Amino acid sequence: MIQPGLEFVYEATGSLGAPIAIGDAPDGMRRIIPIFSGPVEGPLIRGELVAGGNDWQVTRPDGVTVADATYALRTDDGVVIQIRNKGLRHGSPEVMRRLAAGEEVDPAEYYFRTVPEFIAPAGRYDWLNRSVFVCSGARYASAIRLWVWRVT
């Protein structure tokens, strides 16, 4: 048996726009969250999130929010990398109510995990195309913070 490890890649903080409600759909309540810019800092990548991404969310009848975000990162040396980040966020009804009200909630009080997939051009960052990544996150009233690790 080979147990995988984790290598920390970066922390990203992105400002978010007001949610755009789609409404109640067969699979749950849908909305779009605009993703704006913010810093990306870590031992393997530094740069900034590029404004213009979106997180297409559905909150299922069981209370779990399914995130499906597509956005871009511009590294400090000018390389643009596409990211598709899919995952789940859930917690107790009280914690989720507090998050929805814009209150600051300790991320340890809820589950927020995603699997980012990167599309990087040939060159310095093409290693992103050849690894699996996991992410933990924190949601704030108008921002998000993500911590990304490469599975080794």
Side-chain angles (χ1 to χ4, degrees), residues 85-106:
N85 201 0
K86 296 173 18 175
L88 305 173
R89 185 176 69 229
H90 59 83
S92 71
E94 173 61 19
V95 165
M96 299 312 287
R97 183 202 61 73
R98 290 173 47 214
L99 279 174
E103 294 180 28
E104 190 162 321
V105 178
D106 182 342

Side-chain angles (χ1 to χ4, degrees), residues 22-105:
I22 295 173
D24 197 17
D27 55 352
M29 188 62 68
R30 291 191 160 271
R31 66 186 189 161
I32 305 164
I33 310 295
I35 301 170
F36 301 132
S37 63
V40 174
E41 299 185 13
L44 300 180
I45 298 177
R46 299 181 68 81
E48 187 160 340
L49 298 179
V50 177
N54 289 294
D55 184 0
W56 295 77
Q57 295 182 351
V58 60
T59 300
R60 303 183 318 210
D62 65 359
V64 174
T65 297
V66 179
D68 188 354
T70 302
Y71 51 98
L73 151 65
R74 179 176 285 114
T75 64
D76 59 359
D77 56 349
V79 176
V80 177
I81 299 166
Q82 180 181 330
I83 304 166
R84 183 167 186 200
N85 201 0
K86 296 173 18 175
L88 305 173
R89 185 176 69 229
H90 59 83
S92 71
E94 173 61 19
V95 165
M96 299 312 287
R97 183 202 61 73
R98 290 173 47 214
L99 279 174
E103 294 180 28
E104 190 162 321
V105 178

